[in-house]
Amino acid sequence: MAGYHVASLAKLIEQFERMPGIGHKSAQRMAFYVLHLSEAEAKTFAESILAARENIRRCSRCCNLSEAELCPICSNTARDESVICVVEDPRDVIAFERTHEFEGLYHVLHGVISPMNGVGPEDITIKELLSRMADGKVQEVIMATNPTVEGEATAMYISRLLKPMGVKVSRLAYGVPVGADLEYADEVTLTRALEGRRIL
Amino acid sequence: MAGYHVASLAKLIEQFERMPGIGHKSAQRMAFYVLHLSEAEAKTFAESILAARENIRRCSRCCNLSEAELCPICSNTARDESVICVVEDPRDVIAFERTHEFEGLYHVLHGVISPMNGVGPEDITIKELLSRMADGKVQEVIMATNPTVEGEATAMYISRLLKPMGVKVSRLAYGVPVGADLEYADEVTLTRALEGRRIL
C-alpha cells in the first residue's frame, strides 16, 4: 500500500480488501466510489452495515436469517409443515425460494460437518433440526446440502439420526444441469445422471 | 430481490450492488461477510466509510486527495518543483509513485474534457494548474492523461494554454507495453511504437 499517502483512504481500501473475492484493484475502485458519495449516502451506507449486523439473528425455528423471532417463511401458515428442506446456507434458501416450487419449510445448518476444518456435528444446527421432529408433524426431510464430499457426509450423518425417528429422509436428485453442455460434464455427474435416468 | 425476506440484509446488498463492478452475487457475498463480522469489526468498517468520506479533501496545490491542506507529495521539500505530471485521477498518482522514478510534483485533473458527458474545461482542475505557473518555478509539464480520445484532447487543450506561458509541455511516450505480445497489440499502438522507435 506504499502508494497511499491518505491514511483514511488506505484504511477503507483495506476494509474492502478483506471481503471474499475482492482484490486490491476492486477494493481501490470501491473506496473511490465511497469518496464520491454524498455525506447522506455515505451515512446510509455505513448505517446499513451496522443495521444488518445488529438486526439480523437466527429464526428460532429454522435458523435462517431473520429480523423477527420467527422468519417470514416459518411464520407463513400457508407453508406445508410436513416437509423440511435442509440446506447449508441462507443463500440456498433464497435459491430454492426463487423456484417457487417448494411449499415446505427449511432448516439452515449454517455449515457442514468438516473434521478437517474442525467443524463437528455440534457446530451446526443439527440439534435444532432434531428438536423439530418432536411434535411429529414432519413427515419428510429433504437433504439439500451441497453435492460435495462434506455435504454428502453431513446428509448421511443427519439421515442416520432422523430415520430412527420414523421420518422419511430424501436427497436431491443428481444429474446434468439443465442447459449445460454434456461435453463438459464431469464423469461423476454423468454417471449419476445415468443412474438416475427416467423412463419416458 | 424477491428471495430476500430480511429487509436490512436486502438493504445492505443493495448498497454493495451500487458499487462499480459489483454484481448481485458479489454484493450478496459481501453482505454475508458483514453478517459474520463481530460487533467491533462492523463498527470499524462503518466508521472507515464515514471517516474517509469526511477527512479526505483535495490538496490545495495539486488537487490530489489529501487529509491535510497540502498532500504529502506537495509538502515533501525533496521533490522537484520544476516538473509537474498532470494526471486524470488520483489512482494515476499512485501508479506513478509505484515506479519510484518520478521525483516531480503532480496535478490531478479529476476528469477529462468530455463534451459528450457534459464535462467542460471548467469542470476539471485546469484553472488550478495554470495558477501553479504563476511563480515561474515550473519548467516542464508532463501530460499524463490516458491515451484515449478524451485524454488526448484534454492534453492538447491544456498544452495550448501552457505553451504561451513559456513552459515546456511533454506527453508520455506511446508504444507496446513491456511484456506484451506484439501479436495482440492493436494497429494504432504498433504504429505509434514504430513512430517512436529509438536507434540502438
Side-chain angles (χ1 to χ4, degrees), chain B:
Chain B
M1 306 272 296
Y4 297 101
H5 306 286
V6 191
S8 37
L9 177 61
K11 188 152 177 265
L12 182 58
I13 292 173
E14 187 208 317
Q15 288 292 325
F16 284 129
E17 253 182 317
R18 290 185 184 179
M19 300 193 160
I22 300 301
H24 184 64
K25 277 254 166 270
S26 320
Q28 213 181 69
R29 224 184 300 109
M30 290 156 75
F32 278 97
Y33 158 85
V34 169
L35 295 186
H36 290 104
L37 289 177
S38 74
E39 199 83 31
E41 289 170 323
K43 205 152 171 300
T44 317
F45 188 10
E47 277 161 0
S48 65
I49 287 172
L50 296 173
R53 179 63 190 65
E54 282 160 20
N55 308 343
I56 299 175
R57 49 171 156 174
R58 290 182 179 186
C59 167
S60 60
R61 194 171 177 191
C62 72
C63 303
N64 190 6
L65 300 173
S66 173
E67 280 171 329
E69 172 70 18
L70 268 190
C71 75
I73 297 177
C74 285
S75 49
N76 175 355
T77 53
R79 312 274 313 205
D80 177 359
E81 293 191 316
S82 68
V83 191
I84 292 180
C85 177
V86 178
V87 297
E88 292 180 22
D89 190 283
R91 275 163 284 196
D92 303 331
V93 173
I94 295 165
F96 276 108
E97 284 300 284
R98 249 192 251 103
T99 68
H100 299 294
E101 286 302 323
F102 182 67
E103 254 89 60
L105 301 178
Y106 295 94
H107 190 81
V108 181
L109 294 172
H110 289 284
V112 275
I113 299 171
S114 166
M116 286 172 67
N117 302 318
V119 182
E122 65 290 339
D123 298 318
I124 59 180
T125 66
I126 295 177
K127 195 171 77 286
E128 292 82 348
L129 174 63
L130 299 180
S131 69
R132 291 178 69 178
M133 305 302 140
D135 59 12
K137 280 188 192 151
V138 181
Q139 264 132 57
E140 178 177 6
V141 174
I142 304 168
M143 297 308 308
T145 49
N146 290 324
T148 59
V149 176
E150 290 166 338
E152 285 304 332
T154 306
M156 281 307 129
Y157 180 92
I158 294 176
S159 64
R160 253 187 252 102
L161 294 172
L162 289 173
K163 280 181 186 146
M165 297 173 152
V167 190
K168 185 162 116 212
V169 184
S170 58
R171 182 82 172 109
L172 286 182
Y174 288 105
V176 281
V178 180
D181 189 334
L182 281 188
E183 186 185 338
Y184 303 114
D186 61 286
E187 306 70 17
V188 187
T189 304
L190 277 182
T191 314
R192 299 297 195 96
L194 276 172
E195 289 166 358
R197 67 187 181 281
R198 297 240 183 97
I199 307 301
L200 300 175

Side-chain angles (χ1 to χ4, degrees), chain A residues 15-179:
Chain A
Q15 287 293 325
F16 284 128
E17 252 181 320
R18 291 185 184 181
M19 300 194 162
I22 299 301
H24 184 63
K25 277 253 166 270
S26 320
Q28 213 181 70
R29 224 184 301 112
M30 289 155 76
F32 278 96
Y33 157 85
V34 169
L35 294 186
H36 290 104
L37 289 178
S38 74
E39 199 83 32
E41 289 170 324
K43 207 151 170 297
T44 317
F45 188 9
E47 276 161 0
S48 66
I49 287 172
L50 296 172
R53 178 67 190 63
E54 282 159 20
N55 308 343
I56 298 176
R57 48 170 155 174
R58 290 182 179 185
C59 167
S60 60
R61 194 172 179 192
C62 72
C63 303
N64 191 6
L65 299 174
S66 173
E67 281 171 329
E69 172 69 17
L70 267 190
C71 75
I73 298 177
C74 285
S75 50
N76 174 355
T77 52
R79 314 271 315 202
D80 177 0
E81 293 191 315
S82 69
V83 190
I84 293 180
C85 178
V86 179
V87 297
E88 292 180 22
D89 191 283
R91 274 163 283 198
D92 302 331
V93 173
I94 295 164
F96 276 108
E97 284 299 285
R98 248 191 252 106
T99 68
H100 299 293
E101 285 303 323
F102 182 67
E103 254 89 58
L105 301 178
Y106 295 93
H107 190 81
V108 181
L109 294 172
H110 289 284
V112 275
I113 300 171
S114 166
M116 288 173 68
N117 302 319
V119 181
E122 64 291 338
D123 299 318
I124 59 180
T125 65
I126 295 178
K127 197 171 75 287
E128 291 82 347
L129 174 63
L130 298 180
S131 68
R132 291 178 69 178
M133 305 303 140
D135 59 11
K137 279 187 192 148
V138 181
Q139 264 131 57
E140 179 178 4
V141 173
I142 305 168
M143 297 308 307
T145 50
N146 290 324
T148 59
V149 176
E150 290 166 337
E152 285 305 332
T154 307
M156 280 308 130
Y157 180 91
I158 294 175
S159 64
R160 251 187 253 102
L161 295 172
L162 288 173
K163 281 181 187 146
M165 298 173 151
V167 191
K168 185 164 116 210
V169 184
S170 58
R171 181 83 173 107
L172 286 182
Y174 288 105
V176 282
V178 180

